[in-house]
Amino acid sequence: MVMTIIVIVSIFIWIAAIHEMIKPSKEQNNRKIITLTSVGTLTTLIITISIFQSLPLSH
């Protein structure tokens, strides 16, 4: 359940980051882009680690 929420939040964060990046350069807020990209990267890392931890280990 928690992972589902993190995935949904991550999707919205990346959508917001992309929306900010496609604005004309004069309207872009660089601080917002850096913040959204950093948080998006962190949530993506959490999701990736969780996926790899859930993989069965074969010997």
Side-chain angles (χ1 to χ4, degrees):
M1 179 66 181
V2 173
M3 191 51 57
T4 304
I5 294 170
I6 293 174
V7 169
I8 293 169
V9 168
S10 183
I11 290 168
F12 282 113
I13 289 169
W14 283 114
I15 289 171
I18 291 168
H19 185 264
E20 188 67 27
M21 285 185 232
I22 62 174
K23 288 182 181 178
S25 60
K26 291 182 180 179
E27 296 178 22
Q28 288 180 353
N29 182 341
N30 289 336
R31 180 172 278 161
K32 187 175 182 181
I33 291 172
I34 291 169
T35 302
L36 288 170
T37 305
S38 298
V39 175
T41 302
L42 179 63
T43 57
T44 303
L45 184 64
I46 292 168
I47 294 165
T48 304
I49 291 170
S50 174
I51 289 170
F52 276 104
Q53 286 180 340
S54 67
L55 292 176
L57 297 175
S58 59
H59 297 288

